[in-house]
Amino acid sequence: MQHAMGVALVGCGYVADYYASTIPNHPQLKAVGVYDRNAVRAADFSRHHGIPAFASMADLLADESVRIVVNLTNPRSHADVTRSALEAGRHVYSEKPLALSVAEARELVELAESRGLTLGAGPCSLLGETAQTVWRALRDGVVGRPRLVYAELDDGAIHQMPYWTWTSESGAPWPYLDEFRVGPALEHAAYYLNWLTAFFGPATEVTSFSALVVPGKVPGVTGSDFAPDFTTATLRFTSGAIARLTCSTLAPEDRALRIVGDDGVLRVAECWDYGAGVTLQTLVPDEQRESSDHYLEPPVPFPLVRPADYRHRYKKSPEQDLHDMDFARGVAEVADAVIERRAARVSARQALHVLEIILAMTECGTTKIESTFEPVTPMPWAALPA
Ligand SMILES: NC(=O)c1ccc[n+]([C@@H]2O[C@H](COP(=O)([O-])OP(=O)(O)OC[C@H]3O[C@@H](n4cnc5c(N)ncnc54)[C@H](O)[C@@H]3O)[C@@H](O)[C@H]2O)c1
């Protein structure tokens, strides 16, 4: 077995605990250091996880043991941090979004390509057991030709929750002002867009409606610079499938997916759990269809292609659902791609395409999508038998 690849985390905020706690799931990764421009945060995080802290980004990039930089900074810092790591010859895995504009994201993708470096981007839930199971079922034709998708990414009415009290395990406060300024589309839409663009090919057209429905989320803050808190969009994919995707921080928590095909319906209840169950409804045989409300069989569990066996259990608060995601799996995919000299499944070209869709989603109207990406390959353990 090869030596583990040295990984440095840049940004020791709320999400960083999820990475530190899932890196041990992947023997090809070794956390060699962390850095945050907030020195107190870096020190607290370093102490909590027992990973040394670098004093500066320059020190981090001067350390030869750092092969992959994991960019966990706030979205507005993503492009600068990724660019400096690539310029220093490091592979990068970036949290979503890759950048805040398509032009900036394209510049990063081209920089990585020109230097022969791997740039991967989150979210990596497409590599999860649930997504791989749904994808395999689609390739296997269990619902026939997929026609229509309904995807929900509602996070609950956050402004009615005690969001200012939420802290990560190592003590980072949940960055609510940043979250409200970036908005649920840029924060969350990629969780399903990565799946859908992998399943159905690049999107060609987006028709959307977006609005900031509740600007007064934070006492004493006007919210005039907050992003839309409600976005709904209909997308057309290369395969011909149509999807309606809704993101909000208003409606009660719902992260369900339904894929409607000619021969049945696949359903996932939760995309923030890599091992969430999948159900299948097939058509009632023609001769038994008695009425319009009895054309589908009751849902039955559709077995995962393999058990979701990884270490990560996290609960934001006693009231909130378990978010069970193996965050470091995307970093491990970058390491494997580098070792095996192949393209990473968490491809930056796909992330650029998804960013173009999301920016179109936050406008009102119809937008043609220009970017495309090479098809992603399923995980080997989810391949169909030859
Ligand atoms: N909060 C979540 O639950 C969550 C979940 C999944 C993904 N994410 C994503 O993770 C990323 C980080 O989110 P977060 O919630 O951890 O934010 P955060 O504000 O809690 O943490 C970001 C950290 O990055 C540091 N930072 C910013 N710019 C920097 C720079 N140039 N150099 C060094 N450090 C810098 C900040 O000081 C801060 O400590 C975002 O892209 C977000 O979309 C967040």
Side-chain angles (χ1 to χ4, degrees):
M1 154 122 195
Q2 301 239 8
H3 285 303
M5 269 191 152
V7 167
L9 307 184
V10 179
C12 302
Y14 196 91
V15 85
D17 283 344
Y18 299 178
Y19 282 83
S21 62
T22 53
I23 282 176
N25 290 335
H26 304 281
Q28 63 274 60
L29 304 179
K30 179 175 168 29
V32 294
V34 301
Y35 169 66
D36 196 298
R37 66 182 177 191
N38 175 340
V40 174
R41 183 84 282 277
D44 288 350
F45 185 85
S46 163
R47 198 174 319 109
H48 186 87
H49 292 287
I51 308 172
F54 290 105
S56 67
M57 190 68 186
D59 283 1
L60 182 153
L61 294 175
D63 188 319
E64 294 293 331
S65 70
V66 176
R67 301 280 310 282
I68 303 175
V69 169
V70 182
N71 185 351
L72 307 180
T73 60
N74 311 93
R76 73 182 159 282
S77 293
H78 283 183
D80 285 348
V81 169
T82 295
R83 190 184 302 107
S84 63
L86 291 171
E87 282 173 347
R90 298 315 199 283
H91 307 288
V92 176
Y93 180 79
S94 171
E95 255 297 343
K96 40 76 192 163
L98 194 53
L100 288 179
S101 74
V102 170
E104 222 168 18
R106 184 169 290 120
E107 179 207 316
L108 298 174
V109 171
E110 288 171 357
L111 176 62
E113 287 173 356
S114 71
R115 305 236 170 164
L117 295 165
T118 299
L119 170 60
C124 67
S125 58
L126 175 65
L127 310 181
E129 283 72 11
T130 301
Q132 292 285 322
T133 298
V134 171
W135 196 5
R136 178 171 151 148
L138 293 172
R139 296 194 307 276
D140 214 7
V142 301
V143 292
R145 181 169 169 189
R147 300 278 187 180
L148 185 64
V149 178
Y150 282 2
E152 324 295 344
L153 285 162
D154 289 303
D155 211 18
I158 294 196
H159 61 286
Q160 292 170 343
M161 304 179 199
Y163 56 80
W164 60 92
T165 65
W166 296 342
T167 55
S168 73
E169 285 171 358
S170 70
W174 189 64
Y176 57 86
L177 281 175
D178 208 42
E179 290 265 345
F180 294 148
R181 286 177 181 134
V182 174
L186 269 169
E187 287 287 353
H188 298 153
Y191 283 101
Y192 273 135
L193 286 174
N194 279 3
W195 295 26
L196 301 181
T197 53
F199 300 168
F200 306 122
T204 54
E205 192 178 283
V206 176
T207 300
S208 67
F209 176 83
S210 242
L212 174 57
V213 182
V214 182
K217 292 183 171 65
V218 182
V221 175
T222 63
S224 56
D225 59 348
F226 288 177
D229 47 17
F230 170 77
T231 295
T232 191
T234 303
L235 301 98
R236 186 188 294 278
F237 295 93
T238 322
S239 75
I242 303 289
R244 193 271 297 139
L245 171 63
T246 300
C247 298
S248 88
T249 45
L250 297 172
E253 261 194 5
D254 183 355
R255 286 179 288 269
L257 176 76
R258 284 183 291 169
I259 301 179
V260 181
D262 286 341
D263 301 334
V265 179
L266 280 164
R267 193 185 295 248
V268 172
E270 172 60 272
C271 69
W272 287 2
D273 174 352
Y274 282 21
V278 178
T279 60
L280 171 65
Q281 282 183 280
T282 49
L283 288 177
V284 168
D286 268 350
E287 60 286 3
Q288 292 168 27
R289 277 181 225 164
E290 284 157 16
S291 63
S292 60
D293 62 358
H294 183 58
Y295 74 102
L296 286 170
E297 300 284 5
V300 292
F302 189 83
L304 295 183
V305 286
R306 73 172 194 186
D309 182 16
Y310 54 86
R311 195 180 77 95
H312 187 248
R313 292 273 140 190
Y314 181 75
K315 228 168 158 49
K316 238 185 203 169
S317 69
E319 307 80 52
Q320 275 196 316
D321 282 350
L322 193 68
H323 301 161
D324 199 353
M325 298 196 262
D326 184 12
F327 275 82
R329 198 173 292 196
V331 188
E333 170 62 14
V334 166
D336 289 343
V338 170
I339 292 163
E340 295 163 18
R341 296 173 191 276
R342 61 166 172 83
R345 289 183 179 83
V346 283
S347 102
R349 286 260 168 212
Q350 186 184 12
L352 162 63
H353 176 69
V354 164
L355 176 66
E356 188 183 352
I357 297 173
I358 297 173
L359 293 175
M361 282 175 60
T362 56
E363 305 290 330
C364 293
T366 297
T367 312
K368 297 263 181 239
I369 301 297
E370 315 256 304
S371 58
T372 58
F373 61 96
E374 290 295 308
V376 185
T377 28
M379 293 302 276
W381 44 263
L384 287 172

